[in-house]
Protein backbone atom coordinates (compact mmCIF):
# COMPACT_ATOMS: atom_id res chain seq x y z
CA UNK A 1 0.00 0.00 0.00
CA UNK A 2 1.27 3.51 -0.75
CA UNK A 3 2.36 5.36 2.35
CA UNK A 4 0.17 8.36 1.65
CA UNK A 5 -2.87 6.14 1.24
CA UNK A 6 -2.02 4.41 4.50
CA UNK A 7 -1.76 7.82 6.17
CA UNK A 8 -5.11 8.86 4.78
CA UNK A 9 -6.75 5.68 6.07
CA UNK A 10 -5.18 6.18 9.48
CA UNK A 11 -6.44 9.75 9.55
CA UNK A 12 -9.98 8.61 8.71
CA UNK A 13 -9.90 5.97 11.47
CA UNK A 14 -8.59 8.45 14.04
CA UNK A 15 -11.17 11.05 13.04
CA UNK A 16 -14.08 8.60 13.29
CA UNK A 17 -12.59 7.09 16.46
CA UNK A 18 -12.39 10.46 18.19
CA UNK A 19 -15.68 11.84 16.91
CA UNK A 20 -17.87 8.85 16.07
CA UNK A 21 -20.85 9.70 13.87
CA UNK A 22 -24.29 8.54 15.03
CA UNK A 23 -22.98 8.27 18.58
CA UNK A 24 -26.30 8.85 20.35
CA UNK A 25 -29.51 7.25 21.48
CA UNK A 26 -32.41 6.66 19.12
CA UNK A 27 -35.92 7.46 20.25
CA UNK A 28 -38.22 4.52 19.68
CA UNK A 29 -35.63 2.08 18.37
CA UNK A 30 -37.12 -1.09 16.85
CA UNK A 31 -34.04 -3.26 17.40
CA UNK A 32 -31.22 -3.11 19.89
CA UNK A 33 -28.22 -5.27 20.66
CA UNK A 34 -25.13 -5.10 22.79
CA UNK A 35 -21.73 -6.04 21.45
CA UNK A 36 -18.79 -7.14 23.53
CA UNK A 37 -15.19 -7.75 22.51
CA UNK A 38 -13.53 -8.90 25.74
CA UNK A 39 -10.15 -9.31 24.04
CA UNK A 40 -9.79 -5.55 23.80
CA UNK A 41 -12.50 -4.29 26.15
CA UNK A 42 -14.68 -2.81 23.41
CA UNK A 43 -18.37 -2.56 24.24
CA UNK A 44 -21.21 -1.02 22.32
CA UNK A 45 -24.94 -0.74 22.33
CA UNK A 46 -26.54 -0.43 18.94
CA UNK A 47 -30.02 0.85 18.22
CA UNK A 48 -31.77 0.49 14.87
CA UNK A 49 -34.94 2.09 13.62
CA UNK A 50 -36.76 0.33 10.80
CA UNK A 51 -38.82 1.94 8.06
CA UNK A 52 -42.33 0.59 7.33
CA UNK A 53 -40.86 -1.53 4.50
CA UNK A 54 -38.36 -3.10 6.91
CA UNK A 55 -35.32 -1.24 5.64
CA UNK A 56 -32.95 0.54 8.02
CA UNK A 57 -34.23 4.07 8.61
CA UNK A 58 -31.61 4.99 11.20
CA UNK A 59 -28.85 3.40 13.24
CA UNK A 60 -26.94 4.79 16.21
CA UNK A 61 -24.59 3.43 18.82
CA UNK A 62 -23.02 4.22 22.14
CA UNK A 63 -20.19 2.60 24.01
CA UNK A 64 -16.50 2.71 24.65
CA UNK A 65 -13.52 1.04 23.17
CA UNK A 66 -10.44 1.50 21.07
CA UNK A 67 -10.30 3.88 18.09
CA UNK A 68 -10.79 1.02 15.63
CA UNK A 69 -13.98 -0.27 17.26
CA UNK A 70 -15.45 3.23 17.55
CA UNK A 71 -14.46 4.14 13.98
CA UNK A 72 -16.03 0.91 12.76
CA UNK A 73 -19.29 1.66 14.61
CA UNK A 74 -19.25 5.14 13.14
CA UNK A 75 -18.68 3.99 9.55
CA UNK A 76 -21.08 1.05 9.89
CA UNK A 77 -23.99 3.20 11.09
CA UNK A 78 -23.32 5.63 8.25
CA UNK A 79 -23.28 3.08 5.44
CA UNK A 80 -26.26 0.94 6.53
CA UNK A 81 -28.67 3.84 6.74
CA UNK A 82 -31.31 3.51 4.02
CA UNK A 83 -30.26 -0.06 3.16
CA UNK A 84 -32.54 -3.07 3.18
CA UNK A 85 -31.76 -5.68 5.83
CA UNK A 86 -30.50 -8.01 3.07
CA UNK A 87 -28.12 -5.33 1.82
CA UNK A 88 -26.91 -4.71 5.38
CA UNK A 89 -26.21 -8.43 5.84
CA UNK A 90 -24.37 -8.55 2.51
CA UNK A 91 -22.27 -5.57 3.62
CA UNK A 92 -21.58 -7.32 6.92
CA UNK A 93 -20.31 -10.46 5.15
CA UNK A 94 -18.25 -8.38 2.74
CA UNK A 95 -16.76 -6.27 5.50
CA UNK A 96 -15.73 -9.33 7.49
CA UNK A 97 -13.91 -10.67 4.41
CA UNK A 98 -12.24 -7.27 3.98
CA UNK A 99 -11.13 -7.12 7.63
CA UNK A 100 -9.74 -10.65 7.60
CA UNK A 101 -7.97 -10.65 4.25
CA UNK A 102 -7.64 -7.00 3.20
CA UNK A 103 -9.63 -7.56 0.03
CA UNK A 104 -13.11 -8.67 -0.91
CA UNK A 105 -13.12 -10.38 -4.31
CA UNK A 106 -16.74 -11.47 -3.76
CA UNK A 107 -17.97 -7.96 -3.12
CA UNK A 108 -20.65 -7.06 -5.62
CA UNK A 109 -20.55 -3.91 -7.69
CA UNK A 110 -23.91 -2.86 -6.25
CA UNK A 111 -22.24 -2.23 -2.88
CA UNK A 112 -18.93 -0.93 -4.25
CA UNK A 113 -19.48 2.60 -2.99
CA UNK A 114 -20.22 1.44 0.56
CA UNK A 115 -17.26 -0.94 0.55
CA UNK A 116 -15.00 1.91 -0.54
CA UNK A 117 -16.11 3.91 2.49
CA UNK A 118 -15.22 0.96 4.74
CA UNK A 119 -11.83 0.35 3.11
CA UNK A 120 -9.85 2.50 5.60
CA UNK A 121 -10.40 -0.34 8.11
CA UNK A 122 -9.01 -3.01 5.76
CA UNK A 123 -5.53 -2.54 7.26
CA UNK A 124 -6.57 -4.51 10.37
CA UNK A 125 -6.02 -7.76 8.46
CA UNK A 126 -2.31 -7.26 9.20
CA UNK A 127 -3.10 -7.31 12.93
CA UNK A 128 -5.21 -10.40 13.70
CA UNK A 129 -5.95 -9.28 17.26
CA UNK A 130 -7.55 -6.08 15.93
CA UNK A 131 -9.84 -7.78 13.43
CA UNK A 132 -12.38 -8.33 16.20
CA UNK A 133 -12.28 -4.64 17.07
CA UNK A 134 -13.23 -3.82 13.49
CA UNK A 135 -15.94 -6.49 13.10
CA UNK A 136 -17.65 -5.97 16.49
CA UNK A 137 -20.03 -3.32 15.14
CA UNK A 138 -21.09 -5.66 12.34
CA UNK A 139 -21.59 -8.64 14.68
CA UNK A 140 -23.74 -6.35 16.79
CA UNK A 141 -25.74 -5.21 13.76
CA UNK A 142 -26.39 -8.83 12.76
CA UNK A 143 -27.54 -9.61 16.31
CA UNK A 144 -29.89 -6.62 16.29
CA UNK A 145 -31.39 -7.55 12.91
CA UNK A 146 -31.75 -11.20 13.98
CA UNK A 147 -33.51 -10.13 17.16
CA UNK A 148 -30.68 -11.33 19.42
CA UNK A 149 -29.75 -9.09 22.31
CA UNK A 150 -26.10 -9.91 22.73
CA UNK A 151 -23.26 -10.20 20.27
CA UNK A 152 -19.78 -11.33 21.13
CA UNK A 153 -16.75 -11.04 18.97
CA UNK A 154 -15.83 -14.59 20.00
ZN1 LIG B 1 -10.58 -2.79 20.25
Amino acid sequence: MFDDLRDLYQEIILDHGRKPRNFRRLDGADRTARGDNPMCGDRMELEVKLAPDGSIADAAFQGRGCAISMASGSLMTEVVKGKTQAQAKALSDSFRALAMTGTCPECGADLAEEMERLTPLSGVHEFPSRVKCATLAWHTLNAALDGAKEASSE
Side-chain angles (χ1 to χ4, degrees):
M1 200 186 290
F2 294 114
D3 282 347
D4 50 353
L5 191 58
R6 193 186 288 262
D7 288 347
L8 173 67
Y9 285 172
Q10 195 153 18
E11 213 171 283
I12 292 170
I13 292 170
L14 288 175
D15 178 51
H16 278 264
R18 282 194 202 109
K19 294 174 291 181
R21 319 306 194 260
N22 305 306
F23 194 84
R24 56 187 159 86
R25 288 214 156 270
L26 281 187
D27 280 335
D30 297 295
R31 303 287 174 83
T32 62
R34 280 174 203 279
D36 188 14
N37 175 22
M39 294 277 289
C40 179
D42 309 318
R43 290 173 155 273
M44 63 176 68
E45 193 174 341
L46 175 71
E47 295 184 307
V48 177
K49 208 166 189 169
L50 299 177
D53 67 358
S55 63
I56 296 171
D58 204 359
F61 76 108
Q62 291 192 302
R64 60 198 322 172
C66 66
I68 291 173
S69 67
M70 292 296 111
S72 183
S74 176
L75 289 163
M76 183 277 282
T77 50
E78 280 197 321
V79 300
V80 300
K81 221 176 275 188
K83 300 289 181 298
T84 66
Q85 294 191 36
Q87 286 174 318
K89 293 245 166 116
L91 275 170
S92 180
D93 290 343
S94 298
F95 179 74
R96 265 185 280 181
L98 183 73
M100 280 191 282
T101 66
T103 62
C104 182
E106 315 275 292
C107 291
D110 52 329
L111 295 174
E113 197 187 316
E114 288 76 11
M115 290 311 294
E116 201 179 312
R117 299 204 51 207
L118 300 172
T119 299
L121 287 162
S122 64
V124 296
H125 80 276
E126 292 176 48
F127 309 97
S129 65
R130 310 312 298 274
V131 169
K132 288 177 175 176
C133 301
T135 55
L136 178 65
W138 293 93
H139 283 298
T140 311
L141 175 70
N142 286 347
L145 295 179
D146 291 341
K149 292 289 175 207
E150 305 274 338
S152 173
S153 59
E154 298 305 306

